Amino acid sequence: MTKPNPEHEPLRVLFVTSEVAPFSKTGGLADISAALPAALAAEGCDVRVLSPLYGFIDKQRFGIDSRPIAAAFSRTGPESPQPQFYFLECDPLFDRPGVYVDPFTNRDYIDNDYRFIALCRAAMEFIRAARWTPHIVHCNDWQTGLVPLYLHESRARKSLRSVRSLFTIHNIAYQGMFGADAAMRAGEAHKYFYPAGPVEFYGYMSFLKAGLEFADSLNTVSPTYAREIETSGEISHGLDAVLRARGEIGGILNGIDTRLWNPAADDFLPATFDSGSLDAKETDKQALCARIGLPYDRSIPVIGIISRLAAQKGFELIAPVLGEILALPAQLVLLGSGDPYLERLFTEAARSYPDRLAVRIGYDDEFSHLIEAGADLFLMPSRFEPCGLNQMMSMRYGTLPVVRATGGLADTVADADSNPVTGTGFSFDDYTPEAMMEAVRRAVGAFTERPRWRKIQKNAMAQDFSWNRSAKRYVDLYRRTLSSNPRVIA
Ligand code: ADP
Ligand code: GLC
């Protein structure tokens, strides 16, 4: 292969991810894996996305070609515009109803190491087999952590010498830790498995650490989270020293898909609106209340929550003061699934407050649009948040976020009391129920100050959360990665 000259030819990017919307999704990574490649393609990149073909993906609906491109890869139809999606077919590993977790037992699949070793191996196979050599292999989270290692081990091959890897940290809390035997299964990884070595972490084999150590470049999804994971052992889950040793980690803020999340043209809404027609939002609030069985009351705010029910999201702050929140003039709507304990806790609480609290356990994309549009406030008191998408979606729908100022939440929400002119929501610092309550009270109070409320809504709706800017920053990062020396680990 000739040496890439990204100034003159399109950058070829292989984007490897364990989930991609609308095919598969457990959280924000899936949104990003769809929207960022599309934005990169719009910047002129030649992007291919590689992800597993899970059992629940409807091949027919998506026109996924069962004609194999090479061995085990299939892709969306040849007519599909850039970027192209390729799927790794491997039925014993991926033809299952869950992405990471077995829905029947609520536990991680016990062979997740095999499954994602297979994805990483497949990425290498793809590069060799597709007769399309990428300039950059863009890896995302622990499931793809071995790709940079395999690439490092393949540098002896002339055809792969110029390929560089970027590893994006979407959530450092998920580390892909497995017993030492996984290092043997992972082939070349085993030689780096020794105490404090590049794939060993507290006696375990860590897919994430492999990615952090071997990638030619690293970044994460917001500037504040970048600083937090480099300085806090708690937020980095013990990997801060590894990150510091690699030098400064950049944070490129995620965007949202502004075509899918557009209050002025959202097919899931009974009434569409923009910042000039906010009265129509009231129709969506009415529909939301009717749909979830809450009495509609124009004069009190509905607070929405859409979330994985996981420790990260701060439910431990909400649980002890739930009664206090519901004693305010406010109603709460929660859509989420995950931790069975939290599912039970909120379902039972809803029985005690039928007029104030409505809970829907499950995953429901359509209903999530109605919550974004119909709610007045959106609560996201995360313990940590690499970026967070729901606060941005909320702002676009004039639904004011109440957030803990951490990670991407700190970078995207301006507190309306500290920033009277430019405020877009409400935020608090201390990770305590009291600090959260104080912010919730301020938000609920502001709801009654009509002209001020409208002003904050308009500020929020005027924010630009599209991918345009961030996609350009990824292109710059790819270019910098290509022009620097590859990472070498002895
Ligand atoms: P995370 O990736 O940590 O879960 P993000 O805010 O980045 O957090 O992304 C979460 C994504 O998943 C958003 O698109 C959100 O709307 C969606 N989501 C989470 N839970 C649900 C649910 N129960 N139903 C529908 N969408 C959900
Ligand atoms: C992770 C993070 C979330 C981020 C998403 C996409 O799931 O928890 O904050 O928005 O990845 O980068």
Side-chain angles (χ1 to χ4, degrees), residues 172 175 201-202 229 232-243:
I172 209 165
Q175 304 194 337
F201 198 48
Y202 292 101
I229 55 179
S232 155
E234 194 195 328
I235 297 188
S236 71
H237 288 69
L239 284 166
D240 47 318
V242 172
L243 293 177

Side-chain angles (χ1 to χ4, degrees), residues 392-458:
M392 295 192 264
M393 295 163 179
S394 299
M395 284 186 261
R396 192 152 159 76
Y397 283 69
T399 299
L400 302 184
V402 180
V403 303
R404 172 150 182 269
T406 182
L409 299 175
D411 293 333
T412 52
V413 179
D415 184 89
D417 286 302
S418 326
N419 304 276
V421 180
T422 55
T424 54
F426 302 88
S427 67
F428 62 98
D429 290 309
D430 294 345
Y431 189 67
T432 61
E434 295 75 28
M436 183 195 72
M437 261 327 280
E438 189 265 341
V440 170
R441 275 204 196 89
R442 284 192 291 121
V444 169
F447 183 72
T448 57
E449 304 167 43
R450 276 293 143 175
R452 177 175 175 234
W453 182 263
R454 274 282 187 266
K455 167 86 175 94
I456 307 170
Q457 281 183 308
K458 288 186 177 177

Side-chain angles (χ1 to χ4, degrees), residues 126-137:
F126 185 92
I127 298 171
R128 292 188 197 114
R131 280 191 226 98
W132 172 90
T133 309
H135 298 110
I136 290 282
V137 186

Side-chain angles (χ1 to χ4, degrees), residues 27-29 32 141 170-171 221 254 308 312-313 385-389:
L29 173 60
I32 300 324
D141 275 357
H170 295 267
N171 197 334
V221 291
N254 286 332
R308 290 186 291 117
Q312 167 193 347
K313 301 295 179 180
E385 195 61 73
C387 179
L389 302 178

Side-chain angles (χ1 to χ4, degrees), residues 19 26-33 140-141 168-172 174 220-222 225 252 254-255 308 312-313 380 382 384-392 408-409 467 474:
E19 50 184 281
T26 72
L29 173 60
D31 298 85
I32 300 324
S33 300
N140 299 278
D141 275 357
T168 298
I169 303 165
H170 295 267
N171 197 334
I172 209 165
Y174 298 95
T220 186
V221 291
S222 72
Y225 189 64
I252 303 180
N254 286 332
R308 290 186 291 117
Q312 167 193 347
K313 301 295 179 180
M380 230 171 144
S382 305
F384 58 89
E385 195 61 73
C387 179
L389 302 178
N390 281 112
Q391 81 282 14
M392 295 192 264
L409 299 175
W467 266 103
Y474 271 101

Side-chain angles (χ1 to χ4, degrees), residues 329-345:
Q331 294 168 316
L332 190 61
V333 171
L334 182 150
L335 167 65
S337 63
D339 183 342
Y341 166 78
L342 290 171
E343 289 185 355
R344 242 188 345 267
L345 187 143

